[in-house]
Amino acid sequence: MVLKVLILGGTSEAFALTGRLTGDPRLELTYSLAGRTAKPRLPQVPTRIGGFGGIEGLTAFLLQHEINVLIDATHPFAEQISANAQAAAAMASVPLIALERAAWQPMAGDDWQLVPNLTAAAAALPSTSERIFLTVGRQSLLPFAAKPHHHYVIRVIDPPDIPPEMQNVDILKRRGPFNVDHETSLLREHRIVRLVSKNSGGKAGSAKLVAARSLRLPVLLVDRPVHPGVNTLESVGAVVNRLAHYHASLANRSE
Ligand code: NAP
């Protein structure tokens, strides 16, 4: 009896999870990407790329492909697909597991201001011009058009659409992970006085926060959205165990 699993990906955790599950004869995996990144890392399992067409489209996919378990391993700030996954899983009566890395927590020496969303982050920026390291992702820049007097250093994987109001911008096209030495040099080299980031969590993005702590720079951190009622696990290992449990119950039912 094979457990058919659809993994909504686009994160390093989704990639790691898929790698751990690849080759397990109990599972039939399908990996799904939105198609936002020009050269995504692709796992060694069948992969589909592009939206499903909202809740209806995802529900239809789950039913047509007889998916037994849906795993939402998308980014903590990918709100729409996570809401769709919750609704579609309920409509198709398919169990949903969310794999979501833990949020970053402040430590002694951190100067963090937490804000509920990107608009609040832009509003919290001072009225005098500053050199700001903005690492919120290329699709989240629009709110900062409201504060065009700052000089933004923006790090992205693919080229962003910069709002025309934002004239003072340096684009750094780089893919992480970055270590603390790298981040410290970058902050110094660009004479950064403040960081603005999403509280994405995870090891890969945390070096910039360690660098900010050591340089005593303030950080504006956007809080992640919450998904009440979703069975959320924080580690790849926990998801692997949960799938083993689902496979065992499927095998029992079919005996
Ligand atoms: P989003 O706003 O939550 O989703 C917008 C739409 O994109 C969804 O309604 C869905 O289209 C499609 N979509 C998103 N993820 C998908 C997936 N894994 N497979 C198939 N369709 C998907 O998402 P987003 O914030 O633009 O993020 C897009 C992707 O980039 C996600 O997979 C996420 O894991 C990754 N990512 C996001 C961030 C971030 O900060 N938001 C950071 C790093 C990586 P339909 O409604 O047509 O199904």
Side-chain angles (χ1 to χ4, degrees):
M1 202 61 215
V2 171
L3 192 76
K4 293 186 180 177
V5 181
L6 173 63
I7 301 171
L8 303 175
T11 57
S12 48
E13 286 78 10
F15 192 78
L17 172 68
T18 309
R20 275 278 289 275
L21 299 173
T22 301
D24 186 330
R26 298 170 297 176
L27 307 176
E28 186 179 310
L29 305 175
T30 305
Y31 190 76
S32 175
L33 286 171
R36 300 279 192 277
T37 308
K39 287 185 192 157
R41 286 196 299 168
L42 294 175
Q44 303 291 310
V45 303
T47 299
R48 58 163 308 287
I49 299 183
F52 294 92
I55 296 169
E56 250 178 57
L58 181 52
T59 307
F61 187 98
L62 295 173
L63 294 172
Q64 271 164 22
H65 295 264
E66 299 177 325
I67 299 295
N68 300 111
V69 180
L70 174 61
I71 299 179
D72 176 9
T74 60
H75 192 271
F77 282 86
E79 281 191 77
Q80 187 61 56
I81 188 68
S82 293
N84 291 0
Q86 191 173 3
M91 284 174 79
S93 300
V94 168
L96 169 68
I97 303 170
L99 169 59
E100 191 167 286
R101 52 180 106 145
W104 293 315
Q105 301 296 333
M107 290 175 56
D110 280 327
D111 176 5
W112 290 9
Q113 182 182 351
L114 294 174
V115 286
N117 52 48
L118 291 157
T119 306
L125 291 177
S127 50
T128 50
S129 177
E130 287 187 345
R131 293 183 65 86
I132 293 173
F133 187 35
L134 186 59
T135 59
V136 291
R138 70 189 174 99
Q139 294 178 83
S140 300
L141 300 174
L142 195 57
F144 299 91
K147 292 285 176 79
H149 54 282
H150 294 297
H151 185 112
Y152 295 101
V153 176
I154 298 174
R155 185 164 64 197
V156 284
I157 296 174
D158 288 314
D161 288 329
I162 304 288
E165 295 86 348
M166 293 169 75
Q167 295 284 323
N168 302 321
V169 168
D170 291 335
I171 305 292
L172 309 179
K173 212 166 147 268
R174 294 172 197 175
R175 190 195 285 265
F178 308 100
N179 64 31
V180 176
D181 285 349
H182 176 279
E183 299 297 63
T184 307
S185 308
L186 185 149
L187 295 175
R188 283 205 177 110
E189 186 189 325
H190 289 273
R191 292 176 284 116
I192 298 296
V193 300
R194 188 185 301 273
L195 277 72
V196 180
S197 194
K198 293 173 173 172
N199 192 344
S200 301
K203 200 162 185 305
S206 64
K208 59 180 175 282
L209 299 172
V210 179
R213 185 185 310 138
S214 68
L215 297 174
R216 300 180 182 280
L217 297 181
V219 179
L220 255 179
L221 211 52
V222 181
D223 254 338
R224 47 175 65 190
V226 286
H227 307 289
V230 175
N231 177 10
T232 302
L233 302 175
E234 285 186 1
S235 73
V236 165
V239 177
V240 172
N241 292 341
R242 189 63 58 90
L243 285 177
H245 166 80
Y246 279 128
H247 179 266
S249 1
L250 186 71
N252 282 342
R253 264 188 275 142
S254 62
E255 271 172 12

